[in-house]
Amino acid sequence: MDHFDYKDGILHAEDVAVDEIARAVGTPFYAYSAATFRRHFQLFQEALAGMDHLICYAMKANGNLAILKLMGDMGAGIDVVSGGEYLKARAAGVPGERIVFSGVGKTRAEMALALEGGIRQFNVESEPELLALNEVACGLGKVAPVTVRINPDVDARTHAKIATGKSENKFGIPIAKARLVYAEAAALPGIEVVGIDVHIGSQLTDLDPFRAAFDKVAHLTGLLRQDGHDIRRLDLGGGLGIPYERSNMAPPLPLDYGEVIRQTVGHLGCEIEIEPGRLIVGNAGIMVASVIYLKHGEGRNFLILDAAMNDLIRPAMYDAHHDIVPVRQVAPGTEMSAVDIVGPVCETGDTFARQRNMPPLGDGDLVAFRSAGAYGAVMASEYNMRPLIPEVLVDGDQFAVIRPRPSFDEMINRDRVPEWL
Ligand code: LLP
């Protein structure tokens, strides 16, 4: 569920009309609903109720400082994957003891940053990383709390570019090697084993792969405890999918996902951590664009927008579907026609949708891309010298720009021309 609905014929974000935001900030822009963020976080809280747990929001999905503060204020932990993300989570007021550090290639500098600033745990993904972390921790006179990310060799049945739990993927250590690696970890003076970590992929629309992975984690917990390790935390990663096509598919609810967790690992007496990103922010955001032209091609028409692949890369990169709706509600009985919806960038890949049924639209009309709150703004670039588009947060009847559009002067002056040129 989200808080983007038509009222009086105009799409609203909560109580704010989307065309009003467009007049204030210009298009394109992202708009987020604070109520939807809160609701989705609460759904996970309810799903894990009764189990000792921490929801570590995966900020890679949307790392705006205001959103991190909103999440942090509700008591969320944060899952970070870089030194930059760590610093930003701290800047938003999230304490180190609520931050988990994931990622397959943490540098020594990033490890030191987090150890010095305070960190809940590192999710370690390889033996060389374990050794490096031990060295860095010893050098600082600290002990690093660690889970080892295991690769359970489970097929997440999602897009190949975002599946991470098969043995051929670069992530984690093979589960068959886990006991050896834990023994190695336990012998290192700068490492304290606190638990196990797993993450099998993103946009999962089926609970079975989660169940298969968590069953393996439960089994491994028993073995590692037999080996004398104090396994007290299980980080089960993120990955629960969202309905991108309203008309089509209904992925499992957080409550059912919580039930799978309860059934598979609930009896182990471990603190449960999860790292959801997409489900919390995905349907809490829209991207709004204006139509520049309707171009009549041979046999097909093109709706050319002022937003492009650099602003929302998911369709170009993952063939992802986003519902695209007119901001002005379509009157009943309006004739729809199929158009290709494209941006102005000089690549055929700059196509948001092919042969999508849309009402008649022309110059200046506004459209909204739904489900654009996750992996939208964070993956944007300034390709074609197109400014990063602003982000707006709506809360009830108020809205604020939480990241302004840079001016062309700012963008140009970021470059330096050497004196000798
Ligand atoms: N934890 C780890 C270790 C991850 O790698 C990820 C996502 C998450 C948690 C959060 O997963 P989520 O709950 O958001 O599914 N750019 C792609 C998605 C990449 C996901 C990467 N890892 C997209 O636009 O679909």
Side-chain angles (χ1 to χ4, degrees), residues 58 60 79 162 199 202 238-239 275-278 314 318 375 379:
K60 63 160 75 74
D79 171 44
I162 52 175
H199 170 80
S202 194
E275 301 169 350
R278 190 190 311 266
R314 302 193 69 260
Y318 314 108
Y375 306 108
M379 294 182 78

Side-chain angles (χ1 to χ4, degrees), residues 384-396:
N384 280 207
M385 188 63 190
R386 296 169 49 83
L388 288 181
I389 67 178
E391 294 175 275
V392 172
L393 182 65
V394 175
D395 194 0

Side-chain angles (χ1 to χ4, degrees), residues 123-134:
N123 296 332
V124 168
E125 299 220 14
S126 67
E127 287 170 279
E129 186 194 344
L130 190 63
L131 297 176
L133 182 58
N134 176 57

Side-chain angles (χ1 to χ4, degrees), residues 198-222:
V198 70
H199 170 80
I200 55 174
S202 194
Q203 186 53 17
L204 272 72
T205 53
D206 174 359
L207 290 174
D208 290 345
F210 285 120
R211 185 183 295 279
F214 302 165
D215 271 338
K216 291 190 178 191
V217 169
H219 180 67
L220 181 63
T221 303

Side-chain angles (χ1 to χ4, degrees), residues 1 39 43-44 47 207 240-241 243 250-260 279:
M1 201 201 102
R39 180 182 147 79
L43 287 179
F44 278 116
L207 290 174
L240 193 57
L253 300 172
L255 214 54
D256 299 326
Y257 168 77
E259 201 42 45
V260 170
L279 196 137

Side-chain angles (χ1 to χ4, degrees), residues 371-419:
S371 314
Y375 306 108
V378 280
M379 294 182 78
S381 76
E382 290 180 339
Y383 186 39
N384 280 207
M385 188 63 190
R386 296 169 49 83
L388 288 181
I389 67 178
E391 294 175 275
V392 172
L393 182 65
V394 175
D395 194 0
D397 61 2
Q398 56 185 343
F399 72 92
V401 174
I402 57 173
R403 188 173 65 194
R405 195 188 311 274
S407 70
F408 287 123
D409 273 351
E410 280 173 72
M411 289 169 68
I412 293 165
N413 291 326
R414 257 186 248 139
D415 292 356
R416 298 284 178 272
V417 178
E419 254 169 48

Side-chain angles (χ1 to χ4, degrees), residues 174-196:
I175 192 159
K177 246 183 116 180
R179 291 175 89 171
L180 276 175
V181 175
Y182 273 86
E184 202 180 329
L188 297 171
I191 299 290
E192 184 194 7
V193 168
V194 297
I196 306 174

